[in-house]
């Protein structure tokens, strides 16, 4: 089922305070809500999300995993003209087939901006490097540059 976002139907992404390599994630869209704890192993998903947003702003498809050990949530981003589709799938472990659980289609303002703002806010949190690493500053600066370019257009 594809949900076409209205101007007021922005997604909401809340990134918690990481502890011992785990980060609480809350993803909301209208009646859909996904709450889980993501692992920093094998890759830090906040960096992966930043990389995905950079790719999308360049017009490229991208996907990222929120690792749950042993399972995962997959977020696949597909630019489609003026809209962006997000396909969300899950798997209980690395060998099980993933199952699509939600699909959204929306604008830059309703999808990219809320995620970008969540990443920016997350990077202002005082982090213990043993719990989680901050988002790579070069990547976050590149994302900010692309967001600002998009605003000027």
């Amino acid at each position: 089922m594809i949900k076409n976002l209205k101007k007021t139907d922005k997604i909401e992404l809340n990134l918690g305070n990481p502890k011992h390599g785990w980060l609480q994630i809350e993803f909301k869209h209208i009646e859909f809500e996904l709450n889980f704890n993501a692992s920093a192993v094998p890759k830090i998903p906040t960096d992966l999300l930043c990389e995905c947003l950079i790719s999308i702003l360049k017009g490229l498809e991208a996907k990222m995993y929120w690792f749950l050990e042993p399972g995962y949530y997959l977020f696949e981003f597909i630019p489609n003209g003026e809209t962006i589709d997000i396909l969300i799938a899950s798997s209980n472990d690395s060998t099980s087939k993933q199952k699509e659980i939600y699909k959204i289609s929306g604008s830059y303002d309703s999808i990219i901006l809320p995620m970008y703002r969540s990443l920016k806010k997350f990077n202002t949190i005082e982090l213990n490097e043993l719990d989680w690493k901050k988002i790579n500053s070069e990547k976050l600066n590149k994302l900010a540059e692309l967001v600002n370019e998009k605003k000027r257009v």
Side-chain angles (χ1 to χ4, degrees), residues 45-67:
T46 47
D47 273 348
L48 295 175
L49 179 58
C50 186
E51 291 168 11
C52 280
L53 296 180
I54 289 168
S55 293
I56 291 157
L57 287 169
K58 290 180 175 182
L60 305 170
E61 289 186 17
K63 63 181 170 181
M64 61 145 316
Y65 295 89
W66 299 97
F67 303 103

Side-chain angles (χ1 to χ4, degrees), residues 145-153:
E145 181 183 306
L146 291 169
V147 166
N148 288 331
E149 279 179 24
K150 182 81 173 167
K151 286 181 188 175
R152 286 191 293 264
V153 174

Side-chain angles (χ1 to χ4, degrees), residues 118-135:
S118 292
L119 289 176
K120 262 181 54 174
K121 181 180 175 185
F122 177 76
N123 236 35
T124 65
I125 297 171
E126 200 60 43
L127 297 176
N128 177 337
E129 288 286 317
L130 297 175
D131 288 329
W132 203 271
K133 288 184 174 41
K134 285 196 177 268
I135 300 166

Side-chain angles (χ1 to χ4, degrees), residues 49 52 56 60-62 64 75-79 85-86 115:
L49 179 58
C52 280
I56 291 157
L60 305 170
E61 289 186 17
M64 61 145 316
F75 281 40
E76 188 170 359
F77 300 86
I78 304 163
D85 298 332
I86 301 177
M115 290 188 170

Side-chain angles (χ1 to χ4, degrees), residues 7 12 18 36 44-45 48-49 59 65 68 74 88 106 110 119 124 137 139 142 147:
K7 287 248 186 239
E12 186 178 328
F36 57 94
I44 299 176
L48 295 175
L49 179 58
Y65 295 89
L68 309 175
L74 168 69
I88 301 173
S110 59
L119 289 176
T124 65
S137 61
K139 289 179 191 173
K142 180 63 178 172
V147 166

Side-chain angles (χ1 to χ4, degrees), residues 90-108:
S90 69
S91 179
N92 292 331
D93 57 51
S94 60
T95 58
S96 298
K97 185 175 179 185
Q98 64 193 32
K99 177 180 135 191
E100 187 176 301
I101 57 173
Y102 200 67
K103 191 173 186 178
I104 304 167
S105 184
S107 69
Y108 162 84

